[in-house]
Amino acid sequence: MACELPATLGVPLSRLSVADVARHAQRTGLVARISDSTVWRWLHEDAIRPWQHRCWIFPRDPDFQAKAGRILDLYARCWQGHALRKDEFVISTDEKTSIQARVRVHPSLPGRPGEAMRVEHEYERRGAWAYLAALDVHRAKVFGRCEATTGIAPFERLVDQVMSQWPYNQARRVFWIMDNGSSHRGEACVRRLTQAHPRLVPVHAPVHASWLNQIEIYFSIVQRKALTPNDFTCLQAVADRLENFERYYESIAHPFEWKFTRADLNALMARMRSRYAQTQHLKLAA
């Protein structure tokens, strides 16, 4: 019962609590009486938590597995069945949009014994940056820039910034992993980048696969370590913080220990196909 969707039980709820399960069991005559604590103990023994839910999205790119597999191969320093050479590099890139400069109405107060740091709730907006960044996944090297907005031109400035520096300007190949955002989408993007930088190999991730892009891990670190709480005197202070954090990060960081492999991807896709078949069966039954 606890593993059923509430709608299939005829209960006007979106999720079931322990009390809901106990109440429904008594209402349907499954048991005469049962306590909430007994239901909780039984569910706890089998790690069943009907009050929790988790969002997921089924891959809609027909070539999801092949495109994702290429990225996983690059993280393992492999391309089309061959190991990458020492003068071949892998870059992960994306944009983090709308990083605001929030000037607090009253100054923030540092933490004290028994009290957390205090940040005024009200603030004035002093503009926002789009933060474009690229991560060398095997060297933990970060390149970033603040732009007024995202777009093709700002992204190509980031590419020029990276590709003009050693060792990328002398590399055999530099693989750029990117999503399908409007700044770098499709074959037109591939032509622009490869014409400007013959050593560059664009590698587009499948749609809805941000979790495969290591730059997103770096962005989450930036958000937690450099931007939260957001308390800046001006927009330039945000840019300075991001630039200084890049150097700080490089001084302490190591490449991410990426463990998700092609075998894991194949197993995941098999589970996805099984779930999809189940949902189709439920639709037909309904």
Side-chain angles (χ1 to χ4, degrees), residues 4-285:
E4 292 288 337
L5 293 174
T8 64
L9 299 174
V11 181
L13 301 170
S14 60
R15 293 177 291 167
L16 297 173
S17 67
V18 167
D20 294 327
V21 174
R23 191 177 298 111
H24 188 68
Q26 295 176 77
R27 184 182 299 118
T28 58
L30 183 62
V31 294
R33 292 185 62 185
I34 191 170
S35 67
D36 295 356
S37 59
T38 298
V39 173
W40 179 88
R41 187 174 66 253
W42 290 349
L43 297 182
H44 180 71
E45 288 173 354
D46 291 319
I48 298 173
R49 302 176 179 86
W51 51 88
Q52 294 184 354
H53 79 281
R54 180 177 177 181
C55 292
W56 68 292
I57 186 166
F58 191 85
R60 60 185 176 90
D61 189 326
D63 298 321
F64 183 95
Q65 196 161 355
K67 292 178 180 179
R70 296 186 308 169
I71 295 174
L72 297 178
D73 286 347
L74 287 173
Y75 290 161
R77 293 199 58 81
C78 180
W79 179 253
Q80 296 178 345
H82 300 284
L84 297 186
R85 301 188 184 186
K86 291 183 179 180
D87 60 348
E88 294 181 305
F89 303 91
V90 180
I91 301 291
S92 171
T93 187
D94 202 2
E95 303 95 356
K96 183 175 175 59
T97 60
S98 191
I99 301 178
Q100 297 181 16
R102 297 180 177 179
V103 181
R104 302 293 165 170
V105 174
H106 296 286
S108 296
L109 300 176
R112 297 165 51 185
E115 291 186 4
M117 175 183 178
R118 296 190 177 189
V119 180
E120 169 64 44
H121 175 72
E122 294 188 4
Y123 57 85
E124 297 176 3
R125 291 187 178 92
R126 298 286 178 87
W129 289 119
Y131 180 52
L132 286 67
L135 170 71
D136 186 325
V137 301
H138 298 122
R139 300 171 68 222
K141 176 72 175 175
V142 181
F143 305 87
R145 61 185 303 114
C146 289
E147 296 275 358
T149 184
T150 60
I152 293 174
F155 178 70
E156 291 184 349
R157 285 194 286 270
L158 174 68
V159 175
D160 293 341
Q161 176 183 336
V162 177
M163 296 300 291
S164 62
Q165 299 186 38
W166 185 89
Y168 312 103
N169 58 359
Q170 300 295 323
R172 185 185 304 269
R173 287 182 297 187
V174 183
F175 298 88
W176 280 67
I177 298 170
M178 61 192 75
D179 64 15
N180 296 277
S182 58
S183 303
H184 35 72
R185 179 188 298 154
E187 291 301 318
C189 164
V190 173
R191 287 193 300 270
R192 287 194 307 270
L193 295 179
T194 53
Q195 287 174 4
H197 305 282
R199 294 182 174 89
L200 191 153
V201 181
V203 181
H204 283 95
V207 177
H208 297 315
S210 303
W211 54 277
L212 285 173
N213 201 343
Q214 287 195 21
I215 193 65
E216 301 296 345
I217 304 175
Y218 175 71
F219 282 160
S220 72
I221 296 172
V222 168
Q223 184 64 44
R224 288 183 283 111
K225 302 291 287 185
L227 300 176
T228 304
N230 188 316
D231 186 6
F232 294 95
T233 57
C234 62
L235 195 56
Q236 184 57 44
V238 178
D240 293 341
R241 172 76 59 81
L242 291 169
E243 181 180 357
N244 292 332
F245 182 79
E246 291 169 14
R247 307 289 79 79
Y248 171 78
Y249 177 82
E250 290 175 345
S251 70
I252 63 172
H254 300 281
F256 296 125
E257 188 178 351
W258 189 268
K259 296 182 178 180
F260 191 81
T261 66
R262 260 191 184 269
D264 297 318
L265 173 67
N266 295 338
L268 174 64
M269 295 304 296
R271 293 197 300 272
M272 289 282 193
R273 284 189 285 268
S274 176
R275 288 179 182 176
Y276 179 73
Q278 291 175 10
T279 56
Q280 293 300 104
H281 177 74
L282 290 174
K283 287 181 179 179
L284 291 175

